[in-house]
Amino acid sequence: MRIDVVSIFPSYFDGLTLSLMGKARDSGILDLHVHDLRDWTHDRHRTVDDTPYGGGAGMVMKPEPWGLALDQLAGSSVSETRPTIIFPSPAGEVFTQATARDLATREHLIFGCGRYEGIDERVFEYAASVGEVRLISLGDYVLNGGEVAVMAMTEAIGRLIPGVVGNPDSLVEESHEDGLLEYPSYTKPSVWRDREVPPILLSGNHGTIAKWRHEQQIQRTRDRRPDLLD
Ligand code: 6GU
């Protein structure tokens, strides 16, 4: 999979050289490129924002650098198929494990990180002429820009690409994969600071253990995330 990220703070994404995402890049499973939006400006100050038409607080990202970025990154020199172009936005559809699974099947993702009060609306219209546009939110709260959201999304998507997570079994038994939260885990020692590991886990009976874990999943989901059971 190819991923392009456009941001005015490319160094946010230095963390994607670490751990499993770093390994996926080194092995070539993930072809990730981070770009500075200012590289598509042509004025001396490398301007990416301006005041909003109609007045109001804050600044708006100018359309021209975004247009040039999309022309270059969505062009056929980068991918044969139309890319999926994702703009992180608190005004978008909410990102879930199902979104991650869908996006993990795409050949080419482009993430456009907005800052300030947002991006000139015409950029979204133009992007829809060169790719499939998705506005995606991490949840109902506001971040200063899309960078942290794109870090989260690329990790959630990247780990679903075959070969990124070493043991595929660990993808199956996780929170949200079956609509339930994960069961509790324990390791040695069997008694720690007077607290015992649930004895059933030491019984060696795999059938009863599986049943107990499933019950724990349901109980936790009911307690912490009843909305997932509706
Ligand atoms: Cl994707 N972007 C911003 N700026 N704020 C958010 C968000 C995204 N998701 C939740 N809050």
Side-chain angles (χ1 to χ4, degrees):
M1 173 189 280
R2 170 153 178 146
I3 299 181
D4 289 283
V5 180
V6 181
S7 163
I8 58 167
F9 296 117
S11 50
Y12 258 100
F13 301 94
D14 290 352
L16 293 176
T17 60
L18 303 171
S19 187
L20 290 176
M21 294 299 281
K23 274 197 197 127
R25 293 176 75 178
D26 295 342
S27 73
I29 296 174
L30 191 61
D31 186 20
L32 177 70
H33 300 259
V34 180
H35 311 269
D36 188 340
L37 178 67
R38 292 187 201 277
D39 291 347
W40 286 286
T41 60
H42 294 294
D43 63 309
R44 217 157 45 87
H45 301 289
R46 313 227 295 161
T47 313
V48 292
D49 62 333
D50 206 335
T51 54
Y53 276 122
M59 299 290 268
V60 175
M61 290 188 116
K62 296 165 63 60
E64 298 96 324
W66 282 109
L68 295 171
L70 289 169
D71 287 342
Q72 184 176 327
L73 300 177
S76 57
S77 59
V78 173
S79 64
E80 287 104 78
T81 52
R82 276 161 62 91
T84 302
I85 305 170
I86 301 157
F87 292 100
S89 164
E93 55 170 310
V94 175
F95 186 80
T96 65
Q97 191 65 23
T99 320
R101 276 194 297 265
D102 169 20
L103 296 175
T105 67
R106 312 288 171 117
E107 233 170 86
H108 185 195
L109 303 178
I110 299 173
F111 287 98
C113 298
R115 281 266 153 178
Y116 313 112
E117 298 310 304
I119 303 173
D120 187 303
E121 190 69 21
R122 292 166 293 183
V123 171
F124 307 115
E125 297 166 20
Y126 179 71
S129 73
V130 296
E132 181 192 329
V133 173
R134 304 276 292 269
L135 268 68
I136 303 184
S137 167
L138 280 199
D140 295 337
Y141 47 84
V142 178
L143 304 169
N144 287 332
E147 283 77 7
V148 168
V150 170
M151 289 287 286
M153 288 191 262
T154 51
E155 186 161 308
I157 295 163
R159 62 196 298 288
L160 296 179
I161 300 168
V164 173
V165 170
N167 178 2
D169 288 346
S170 54
L171 293 174
V172 177
E173 294 195 357
E174 287 175 328
S175 292
H176 299 293
E177 270 309 330
D178 54 4
L180 296 172
L181 303 186
E182 220 173 357
Y183 55 75
S185 302
Y186 300 86
T187 186
K188 291 176 274 299
S190 63
V191 181
W192 175 71
R193 299 193 179 184
D194 295 333
R195 291 155 206 270
E196 286 177 20
V197 170
I200 204 163
L201 296 177
L202 310 178
S203 70
N205 185 331
H206 298 295
T208 19
I209 290 171
K211 185 164 166 281
W212 180 85
R213 284 179 166 165
H214 188 66
E215 286 162 3
Q216 292 291 312
Q217 285 191 282
I218 293 168
Q219 197 180 101
R220 285 192 154 187
T221 309
R222 201 184 294 123
D223 290 347
R224 300 177 187 175
R225 292 293 307 277
D227 56 299
L228 295 178
L229 295 172
D230 297 341

PDB file of all heavy atoms in Angstrom, residues 82-109:
ATOM      1  N   ARG A  82      -7.453   5.445  -9.022  1.00  0.00           N
ATOM      2  CA  ARG A  82      -7.758   6.698  -8.312  1.00  0.00           C
ATOM      3  C   ARG A  82      -7.500   6.497  -6.822  1.00  0.00           C
ATOM      4  O   ARG A  82      -7.963   5.526  -6.226  1.00  0.00           O
ATOM      5  CB  ARG A  82      -9.230   7.075  -8.526  1.00  0.00           C
ATOM      6  CG  ARG A  82      -9.489   7.834  -9.819  1.00  0.00           C
ATOM      7  CD  ARG A  82     -10.948   7.771 -10.216  1.00  0.00           C
ATOM      8  NE  ARG A  82     -11.858   8.381  -9.247  1.00  0.00           N
ATOM      9  CZ  ARG A  82     -12.229   9.666  -9.288  1.00  0.00           C
ATOM     10  NH1 ARG A  82     -11.770  10.472 -10.217  1.00  0.00           N
ATOM     11  NH2 ARG A  82     -13.081  10.138  -8.407  1.00  0.00           N
ATOM     12  N   PRO A  83      -6.770   7.411  -6.177  1.00  0.00           N
ATOM     13  CA  PRO A  83      -6.487   7.251  -4.754  1.00  0.00           C
ATOM     14  C   PRO A  83      -7.713   7.567  -3.894  1.00  0.00           C
ATOM     15  O   PRO A  83      -8.663   8.199  -4.354  1.00  0.00           O
ATOM     16  CB  PRO A  83      -5.394   8.284  -4.507  1.00  0.00           C
ATOM     17  CG  PRO A  83      -5.649   9.353  -5.518  1.00  0.00           C
ATOM     18  CD  PRO A  83      -6.168   8.644  -6.743  1.00  0.00           C
ATOM     19  N   THR A  84      -7.662   7.102  -2.657  1.00  0.00           N
ATOM     20  CA  THR A  84      -8.628   7.532  -1.643  1.00  0.00           C
ATOM     21  C   THR A  84      -7.995   8.700  -0.900  1.00  0.00           C
ATOM     22  O   THR A  84      -6.880   8.574  -0.382  1.00  0.00           O
ATOM     23  CB  THR A  84      -8.939   6.379  -0.674  1.00  0.00           C
ATOM     24  OG1 THR A  84      -9.438   5.277  -1.441  1.00  0.00           O
ATOM     25  CG2 THR A  84      -9.976   6.793   0.362  1.00  0.00           C
ATOM     26  N   ILE A  85      -8.675   9.844  -0.906  1.00  0.00           N
ATOM     27  CA  ILE A  85      -8.114  11.064  -0.332  1.00  0.00           C
ATOM     28  C   ILE A  85      -8.855  11.374   0.968  1.00  0.00           C
ATOM     29  O   ILE A  85     -10.068  11.601   0.956  1.00  0.00           O
ATOM     30  CB  ILE A  85      -8.223  12.242  -1.323  1.00  0.00           C
ATOM     31  CG1 ILE A  85      -7.569  11.859  -2.670  1.00  0.00           C
ATOM     32  CG2 ILE A  85      -7.570  13.494  -0.729  1.00  0.00           C
ATOM     33  CD1 ILE A  85      -7.844  12.855  -3.782  1.00  0.00           C
ATOM     34  N   ILE A  86      -8.123  11.329   2.070  1.00  0.00           N
ATOM     35  CA  ILE A  86      -8.733  11.469   3.386  1.00  0.00           C
ATOM     36  C   ILE A  86      -8.344  12.804   4.005  1.00  0.00           C
ATOM     37  O   ILE A  86      -7.152  13.111   4.127  1.00  0.00           O
ATOM     38  CB  ILE A  86      -8.290  10.309   4.302  1.00  0.00           C
ATOM     39  CG1 ILE A  86      -8.709   8.966   3.686  1.00  0.00           C
ATOM     40  CG2 ILE A  86      -8.875  10.465   5.711  1.00  0.00           C
ATOM     41  CD1 ILE A  86      -7.891   7.796   4.182  1.00  0.00           C
ATOM     42  N   PHE A  87      -9.350  13.568   4.381  1.00  0.00           N
ATOM     43  CA  PHE A  87      -9.109  14.799   5.121  1.00  0.00           C
ATOM     44  C   PHE A  87      -9.589  14.588   6.550  1.00  0.00           C
ATOM     45  O   PHE A  87     -10.799  14.448   6.777  1.00  0.00           O
ATOM     46  CB  PHE A  87      -9.844  15.976   4.477  1.00  0.00           C
ATOM     47  CG  PHE A  87      -9.317  16.367   3.126  1.00  0.00           C
ATOM     48  CD1 PHE A  87      -9.972  15.958   1.967  1.00  0.00           C
ATOM     49  CD2 PHE A  87      -8.158  17.126   2.997  1.00  0.00           C
ATOM     50  CE1 PHE A  87      -9.488  16.307   0.711  1.00  0.00           C
ATOM     51  CE2 PHE A  87      -7.662  17.482   1.748  1.00  0.00           C
ATOM     52  CZ  PHE A  87      -8.333  17.074   0.603  1.00  0.00           C
ATOM     53  N   PRO A  88      -8.665  14.545   7.525  1.00  0.00           N
ATOM     54  CA  PRO A  88      -9.106  14.435   8.910  1.00  0.00           C
ATOM     55  C   PRO A  88      -9.867  15.690   9.295  1.00  0.00           C
ATOM     56  O   PRO A  88      -9.412  16.799   8.997  1.00  0.00           O
ATOM     57  CB  PRO A  88      -7.801  14.304   9.703  1.00  0.00           C
ATOM     58  CG  PRO A  88      -6.728  14.811   8.808  1.00  0.00           C
ATOM     59  CD  PRO A  88      -7.196  14.605   7.399  1.00  0.00           C
ATOM     60  N   SER A  89     -11.021  15.518   9.913  1.00  0.00           N
ATOM     61  CA  SER A  89     -11.843  16.678  10.268  1.00  0.00           C
ATOM     62  C   SER A  89     -12.797  16.308  11.383  1.00  0.00           C
ATOM     63  O   SER A  89     -13.446  15.253  11.319  1.00  0.00           O
ATOM     64  CB  SER A  89     -12.657  17.114   9.037  1.00  0.00           C
ATOM     65  OG  SER A  89     -13.709  17.970   9.439  1.00  0.00           O
ATOM     66  N   PRO A  90     -12.910  17.170  12.417  1.00  0.00           N
ATOM     67  CA  PRO A  90     -13.897  16.879  13.458  1.00  0.00           C
ATOM     68  C   PRO A  90     -15.328  16.910  12.903  1.00  0.00           C
ATOM     69  O   PRO A  90     -16.261  16.469  13.572  1.00  0.00           O
ATOM     70  CB  PRO A  90     -13.667  17.984  14.501  1.00  0.00           C
ATOM     71  CG  PRO A  90     -12.900  19.042  13.803  1.00  0.00           C
ATOM     72  CD  PRO A  90     -12.163  18.404  12.656  1.00  0.00           C
ATOM     73  N   ALA A  91     -15.490  17.410  11.670  1.00  0.00           N
ATOM     74  CA  ALA A  91     -16.815  17.451  11.031  1.00  0.00           C
ATOM     75  C   ALA A  91     -17.037  16.264  10.098  1.00  0.00           C
ATOM     76  O   ALA A  91     -17.980  16.270   9.304  1.00  0.00           O
ATOM     77  CB  ALA A  91     -16.978  18.765  10.268  1.00  0.00           C
ATOM     78  N   GLY A  92     -16.188  15.245  10.190  1.00  0.00           N
ATOM     79  CA  GLY A  92     -16.312  14.096   9.292  1.00  0.00           C
ATOM     80  C   GLY A  92     -17.045  12.922   9.911  1.00  0.00           C
ATOM     81  O   GLY A  92     -17.530  12.991  11.047  1.00  0.00           O
ATOM     82  N   GLU A  93     -17.133  11.819   9.164  1.00  0.00           N
ATOM     83  CA  GLU A  93     -17.688  10.557   9.681  1.00  0.00           C
ATOM     84  C   GLU A  93     -16.720  10.022  10.735  1.00  0.00           C
ATOM     85  O   GLU A  93     -15.516  10.261  10.655  1.00  0.00           O
ATOM     86  CB  GLU A  93     -17.846   9.529   8.545  1.00  0.00           C
ATOM     87  CG  GLU A  93     -16.547   9.293   7.793  1.00  0.00           C
ATOM     88  CD  GLU A  93     -16.548   8.125   6.796  1.00  0.00           C
ATOM     89  OE1 GLU A  93     -16.953   7.014   7.169  1.00  0.00           O
ATOM     90  OE2 GLU A  93     -16.116   8.341   5.657  1.00  0.00           O
ATOM     91  N   VAL A  94     -17.229   9.308  11.731  1.00  0.00           N
ATOM     92  CA  VAL A  94     -16.367   8.835  12.816  1.00  0.00           C
ATOM     93  C   VAL A  94     -15.585   7.583  12.389  1.00  0.00           C
ATOM     94  O   VAL A  94     -16.148   6.658  11.809  1.00  0.00           O
ATOM     95  CB  VAL A  94     -17.180   8.562  14.098  1.00  0.00           C
ATOM     96  CG1 VAL A  94     -16.288   7.948  15.178  1.00  0.00           C
ATOM     97  CG2 VAL A  94     -17.798   9.851  14.616  1.00  0.00           C
ATOM     98  N   PHE A  95     -14.289   7.618  12.651  1.00  0.00           N
ATOM     99  CA  PHE A  95     -13.380   6.510  12.331  1.00  0.00           C
ATOM    100  C   PHE A  95     -13.614   5.356  13.296  1.00  0.00           C
ATOM    101  O   PHE A  95     -13.600   5.536  14.510  1.00  0.00           O
ATOM    102  CB  PHE A  95     -11.941   7.018  12.469  1.00  0.00           C
ATOM    103  CG  PHE A  95     -10.879   6.045  12.030  1.00  0.00           C
ATOM    104  CD1 PHE A  95     -10.575   5.887  10.688  1.00  0.00           C
ATOM    105  CD2 PHE A  95     -10.169   5.307  12.955  1.00  0.00           C
ATOM    106  CE1 PHE A  95      -9.581   5.015  10.273  1.00  0.00           C
ATOM    107  CE2 PHE A  95      -9.170   4.426  12.551  1.00  0.00           C
ATOM    108  CZ  PHE A  95      -8.875   4.279  11.208  1.00  0.00           C
ATOM    109  N   THR A  96     -13.829   4.154  12.737  1.00  0.00           N
ATOM    110  CA  THR A  96     -14.008   2.953  13.565  1.00  0.00           C
ATOM    111  C   THR A  96     -13.118   1.845  13.012  1.00  0.00           C
ATOM    112  O   THR A  96     -12.481   2.019  11.965  1.00  0.00           O
ATOM    113  CB  THR A  96     -15.466   2.455  13.537  1.00  0.00           C
ATOM    114  OG1 THR A  96     -15.761   2.025  12.199  1.00  0.00           O
ATOM    115  CG2 THR A  96     -16.448   3.534  13.969  1.00  0.00           C
ATOM    116  N   GLN A  97     -13.128   0.695  13.678  1.00  0.00           N
ATOM    117  CA  GLN A  97     -12.373  -0.462  13.194  1.00  0.00           C
ATOM    118  C   GLN A  97     -12.863  -0.866  11.794  1.00  0.00           C
ATOM    119  O   GLN A  97     -12.063  -1.298  10.965  1.00  0.00           O
ATOM    120  CB  GLN A  97     -12.506  -1.620  14.183  1.00  0.00           C
ATOM    121  CG  GLN A  97     -11.563  -2.780  13.925  1.00  0.00           C
ATOM    122  CD  GLN A  97     -10.104  -2.431  14.112  1.00  0.00           C
ATOM    123  OE1 GLN A  97      -9.747  -1.488  14.820  1.00  0.00           O
ATOM    124  NE2 GLN A  97      -9.240  -3.183  13.468  1.00  0.00           N
ATOM    125  N   ALA A  98     -14.165  -0.685  11.551  1.00  0.00           N
ATOM    126  CA  ALA A  98     -14.710  -1.003  10.217  1.00  0.00           C
ATOM    127  C   ALA A  98     -14.125  -0.059   9.163  1.00  0.00           C
ATOM    128  O   ALA A  98     -13.818  -0.485   8.037  1.00  0.00           O
ATOM    129  CB  ALA A  98     -16.232  -0.910  10.230  1.00  0.00           C
ATOM    130  N   THR A  99     -13.948   1.220   9.511  1.00  0.00           N
ATOM    131  CA  THR A  99     -13.318   2.169   8.586  1.00  0.00           C
ATOM    132  C   THR A  99     -11.890   1.733   8.294  1.00  0.00           C
ATOM    133  O   THR A  99     -11.439   1.732   7.147  1.00  0.00           O
ATOM    134  CB  THR A  99     -13.277   3.594   9.194  1.00  0.00           C
ATOM    135  OG1 THR A  99     -14.488   3.860   9.886  1.00  0.00           O
ATOM    136  CG2 THR A  99     -13.032   4.641   8.141  1.00  0.00           C
ATOM    137  N   ALA A 100     -11.171   1.340   9.354  1.00  0.00           N
ATOM    138  CA  ALA A 100      -9.779   0.902   9.196  1.00  0.00           C
ATOM    139  C   ALA A 100      -9.720  -0.314   8.268  1.00  0.00           C
ATOM    140  O   ALA A 100      -8.871  -0.377   7.374  1.00  0.00           O
ATOM    141  CB  ALA A 100      -9.166   0.579  10.554  1.00  0.00           C
ATOM    142  N   ARG A 101     -10.644  -1.276   8.470  1.00  0.00           N
ATOM    143  CA  ARG A 101     -10.653  -2.481   7.624  1.00  0.00           C
ATOM    144  C   ARG A 101     -10.909  -2.120   6.163  1.00  0.00           C
ATOM    145  O   ARG A 101     -10.264  -2.653   5.261  1.00  0.00           O
ATOM    146  CB  ARG A 101     -11.725  -3.468   8.111  1.00  0.00           C
ATOM    147  CG  ARG A 101     -11.265  -4.371   9.247  1.00  0.00           C
ATOM    148  CD  ARG A 101     -12.236  -5.530   9.433  1.00  0.00           C
ATOM    149  NE  ARG A 101     -13.555  -5.055   9.822  1.00  0.00           N
ATOM    150  CZ  ARG A 101     -13.981  -4.962  11.082  1.00  0.00           C
ATOM    151  NH1 ARG A 101     -13.199  -5.339  12.067  1.00  0.00           N
ATOM    152  NH2 ARG A 101     -15.183  -4.510  11.350  1.00  0.00           N
ATOM    153  N   ASP A 102     -11.843  -1.215   5.933  1.00  0.00           N
ATOM    154  CA  ASP A 102     -12.155  -0.764   4.565  1.00  0.00           C
ATOM    155  C   ASP A 102     -10.919  -0.108   3.945  1.00  0.00           C
ATOM    156  O   ASP A 102     -10.477  -0.477   2.859  1.00  0.00           O
ATOM    157  CB  ASP A 102     -13.349   0.207   4.628  1.00  0.00           C
ATOM    158  CG  ASP A 102     -13.581   0.943   3.320  1.00  0.00           C
ATOM    159  OD1 ASP A 102     -13.103   0.478   2.261  1.00  0.00           O
ATOM    160  OD2 ASP A 102     -14.251   2.003   3.340  1.00  0.00           O
ATOM    161  N   LEU A 103     -10.312   0.840   4.662  1.00  0.00           N
ATOM    162  CA  LEU A 103      -9.198   1.597   4.083  1.00  0.00           C
ATOM    163  C   LEU A 103      -7.946   0.736   3.897  1.00  0.00           C
ATOM    164  O   LEU A 103      -7.126   1.015   3.026  1.00  0.00           O
ATOM    165  CB  LEU A 103      -8.903   2.835   4.934  1.00  0.00           C
ATOM    166  CG  LEU A 103     -10.046   3.862   4.977  1.00  0.00           C
ATOM    167  CD1 LEU A 103      -9.716   5.008   5.936  1.00  0.00           C
ATOM    168  CD2 LEU A 103     -10.351   4.416   3.583  1.00  0.00           C
ATOM    169  N   ALA A 104      -7.831  -0.339   4.702  1.00  0.00           N
ATOM    170  CA  ALA A 104      -6.658  -1.222   4.591  1.00  0.00           C
ATOM    171  C   ALA A 104      -6.662  -1.996   3.274  1.00  0.00           C
ATOM    172  O   ALA A 104      -5.641  -2.572   2.897  1.00  0.00           O
ATOM    173  CB  ALA A 104      -6.612  -2.190   5.770  1.00  0.00           C
ATOM    174  N   THR A 105      -7.794  -2.025   2.565  1.00  0.00           N
ATOM    175  CA  THR A 105      -7.863  -2.741   1.284  1.00  0.00           C
ATOM    176  C   THR A 105      -7.484  -1.836   0.105  1.00  0.00           C
ATOM    177  O   THR A 105      -7.404  -2.304  -1.030  1.00  0.00           O
ATOM    178  CB  THR A 105      -9.288  -3.278   1.018  1.00  0.00           C
ATOM    179  OG1 THR A 105     -10.174  -2.161   0.811  1.00  0.00           O
ATOM    180  CG2 THR A 105      -9.799  -4.115   2.173  1.00  0.00           C
ATOM    181  N   ARG A 106      -7.277  -0.531   0.356  1.00  0.00           N
ATOM    182  CA  ARG A 106      -7.016   0.406  -0.742  1.00  0.00           C
ATOM    183  C   ARG A 106      -5.548   0.356  -1.169  1.00  0.00           C
ATOM    184  O   ARG A 106      -4.672   0.099  -0.357  1.00  0.00           O
ATOM    185  CB  ARG A 106      -7.369   1.849  -0.325  1.00  0.00           C
ATOM    186  CG  ARG A 106      -8.728   1.999   0.342  1.00  0.00           C
ATOM    187  CD  ARG A 106      -9.845   1.838  -0.666  1.00  0.00           C
ATOM    188  NE  ARG A 106     -11.150   1.773  -0.009  1.00  0.00           N
ATOM    189  CZ  ARG A 106     -12.116   2.690  -0.200  1.00  0.00           C
ATOM    190  NH1 ARG A 106     -11.917   3.716  -0.997  1.00  0.00           N
ATOM    191  NH2 ARG A 106     -13.272   2.549   0.409  1.00  0.00           N
ATOM    192  N   GLU A 107      -5.328   0.660  -2.426  1.00  0.00           N
ATOM    193  CA  GLU A 107      -3.958   0.639  -2.952  1.00  0.00           C
ATOM    194  C   GLU A 107      -3.199   1.903  -2.586  1.00  0.00           C
ATOM    195  O   GLU A 107      -1.994   1.880  -2.361  1.00  0.00           O
ATOM    196  CB  GLU A 107      -4.038   0.549  -4.475  1.00  0.00           C
ATOM    197  CG  GLU A 107      -3.258  -0.572  -5.089  1.00  0.00           C
ATOM    198  CD  GLU A 107      -3.614  -0.696  -6.551  1.00  0.00           C
ATOM    199  OE1 GLU A 107      -2.987   0.016  -7.344  1.00  0.00           O
ATOM    200  OE2 GLU A 107      -4.533  -1.471  -6.875  1.00  0.00           O
ATOM    201  N   HIS A 108      -3.913   3.034  -2.579  1.00  0.00           N
ATOM    202  CA  HIS A 108      -3.240   4.331  -2.408  1.00  0.00           C
ATOM    203  C   HIS A 108      -4.102   5.279  -1.578  1.00  0.00           C
ATOM    204  O   HIS A 108      -5.214   5.618  -1.979  1.00  0.00           O
ATOM    205  CB  HIS A 108      -2.960   4.946  -3.792  1.00  0.00           C
ATOM    206  CG  HIS A 108      -2.180   6.222  -3.740  1.00  0.00           C
ATOM    207  ND1 HIS A 108      -2.081   7.076  -4.810  1.00  0.00           N
ATOM    208  CD2 HIS A 108      -1.439   6.788  -2.743  1.00  0.00           C
ATOM    209  CE1 HIS A 108      -1.324   8.111  -4.484  1.00  0.00           C
ATOM    210  NE2 HIS A 108      -0.930   7.966  -3.229  1.00  0.00           N
ATOM    211  N   LEU A 109      -3.577   5.684  -0.433  1.00  0.00           N
ATOM    212  CA  LEU A 109      -4.260   6.655   0.425  1.00  0.00           C
ATOM    213  C   LEU A 109      -3.466   7.962   0.430  1.00  0.00           C
ATOM    214  O   LEU A 109      -2.233   7.940   0.506  1.00  0.00           O
ATOM    215  CB  LEU A 109      -4.351   6.142   1.868  1.00  0.00           C
ATOM    216  CG  LEU A 109      -5.033   4.791   2.121  1.00  0.00           C
ATOM    217  CD1 LEU A 109      -4.978   4.460   3.623  1.00  0.00           C
ATOM    218  CD2 LEU A 109      -6.475   4.814   1.644  1.00  0.00           C
TER     219      LEU A 109
END
